[in-house]
Amino acid sequence: MRATAIDRSVAEAIDEGHGTPILVIHGGMGDSTAWSRVTDQLKDRFRTVRLHRRQYRLDLPRPITMADEVEHVAAITAELDRPVLVGHSSGGVLALEALLAEPESYAGAVLYEPPVVIGEPLGGDQARAALDDGNPGKALTIFLREVVGLSPAASTLAGFVMGRTHYRDRVIRQLDDSDAIDALGNRLPVYATLDVPMLLIGGDRSPRHLSERLDALERALPRTRRLLMHGQGHNAEREAPGRLAAAIARFIDEDLGKLRHGGTT
C-alpha cells in the first residue's frame, strides 16, 4: 500500500487480509517485516497493515520528527476504516501521537511498552558521541545499555552484530528516533484526553523502566487495561508471536466488540 502524505512524501505499508483493519507500527531498528510473524496469525480474520515507518525509510532524508511520522500514519489511516493501532516500543509513542492528531479515526489501540517520557529525557548523548567518532557498534551498545536498559552482555552482542558498516544508517535512525521522543517531553497530561479503548502490554522480563512507563500511562489513560506477558521481554513479536496475536485478537473481539454492541469497557 502507498499513500501520499500532506507534504507529498509517500507512505508505504504491507496490506494483507480482510476484516477489521489493524495498523501495525513497528519499533526501533525495524521495518515493515518486523511484525510479520504476528500478522501472519491475524490476517485470516483481520486486515493487517504493517507500516514501514518514515524514521526507518533509508530512501527518505533525515532528520525526521515525530510530527513527520504522524503524517505517514495519517496517510495510511485515511485508506482504512477506523483501524486499531498496534504500536511497539517507539512505535507505541508514535501511535499515541497519531491518536492525539486524529482520535476519531481509530477504534482503539494496543501499545506494547512505549518508552514515553515520564521524567528525565531518555538520553543518548554518549551513544551519539560514539557514532560521531565513527563507531556505530559502540554507539548501539551504549544506547541499548544506557537507554533501553538491556544487560551489558546483550547490549555488547547486539552492538557487535548490528555495528557492521551496512547497519550504520539504521543505528543513526535509532538515535534520531530516541531524540524525537525526547523532543516531545512528558506528554502524559495530553494523553489523558484520549477517550479510546487501549490495551497496554508488557513483559515480566523487560527492563524495569519500561514497566514504570507503562504504570504512568495506565494511570493517565482513561480507558485502558493491562496485560503482563509472563516469560517475555521487549520482543515478544519475535519470541511469542502467537501469544501476541491472540492478545490483539481478544482485545478486538472482547473490548471493542462490547462497544459495537452497545456495552462499555
Side-chain angles (χ1 to χ4, degrees):
M1 176 190 289
R2 290 179 172 83
T4 302
I6 292 175
D7 67 356
R8 310 308 298 171
S9 63
V10 177
E12 295 183 352
I14 303 298
D15 183 8
E16 300 174 303
H18 301 279
T20 299
I22 301 171
L23 177 53
V24 179
I25 306 176
H26 65 79
M29 299 287 289
D31 58 23
S32 57
T33 67
W35 274 59
S36 61
R37 294 180 64 193
V38 177
T39 57
D40 281 349
Q41 302 190 47
L42 291 168
K43 63 186 181 183
D44 287 344
R45 290 190 54 213
F46 304 97
R47 181 181 181 184
T48 63
V49 179
R50 290 179 278 121
L51 179 71
H52 189 167
R53 284 179 56 190
R54 187 172 186 167
Q55 186 70 264
Y56 293 93
R57 289 266 304 279
L58 302 183
D59 59 315
L60 297 178
R62 56 180 292 271
I64 293 167
T65 67
M66 192 66 69
D68 293 334
E69 289 218 86
V70 168
E71 289 185 4
H72 274 207
V73 177
I76 295 296
T77 297
E79 305 296 319
L80 306 173
D81 180 18
R82 299 190 73 235
V84 177
L85 275 177
V86 175
H88 177 215
S89 194
S90 59
V93 180
L94 174 53
L96 284 164
E97 293 297 312
L99 282 163
L100 280 175
E102 296 182 309
E104 69 286 348
S105 296
Y106 302 96
V110 178
L111 306 177
Y112 179 9
E113 295 183 335
V116 294
V117 174
I118 60 175
E120 292 297 317
L122 297 179
D125 292 344
Q126 293 183 37
R128 182 72 71 176
L131 188 64
D132 291 342
D133 287 340
N135 195 332
K138 181 179 179 181
L140 186 60
T141 296
I142 294 171
F143 175 83
L144 292 175
R145 185 182 67 240
E146 302 297 332
V147 179
V148 178
L150 294 186
S151 69
S155 300
T156 300
L157 177 61
F160 175 77
V161 173
M162 299 295 287
R164 291 173 294 180
T165 303
H166 62 285
Y167 283 114
R168 176 184 171 84
D169 288 341
R170 289 198 183 194
V171 175
I172 293 172
R173 296 301 180 109
Q174 174 66 86
L175 298 184
D176 285 351
D177 197 5
S178 181
D179 289 346
I181 294 173
D182 278 345
L184 292 173
N186 188 329
R187 301 273 280 169
L188 292 177
V190 289
Y191 294 155
T193 67
L194 291 171
D195 189 25
V196 295
M198 297 194 209
L199 172 65
L200 302 182
I201 297 179
D204 64 359
R205 294 185 177 179
S206 293
R208 178 178 295 180
H209 75 95
L210 292 173
S211 178
E212 293 170 352
R213 296 174 199 281
L214 274 185
D215 290 343
L217 262 182
E218 186 177 20
R219 290 191 296 267
L221 295 171
R223 299 173 63 188
T224 188
R225 65 182 179 89
R226 183 90 163 259
L227 172 65
L228 180 66
M229 295 190 69
H230 295 285
Q232 294 302 314
H234 194 50
N235 292 109
E237 81 285 0
R238 294 199 308 259
E239 304 296 330
R243 290 173 61 188
L244 206 47
I248 294 167
R250 187 162 53 248
F251 170 72
I252 294 172
D253 290 339
E254 297 180 2
D255 293 54
L256 301 187
K258 290 177 184 177
L259 294 179
R260 288 194 294 268
H261 294 91
T264 59
T265 60

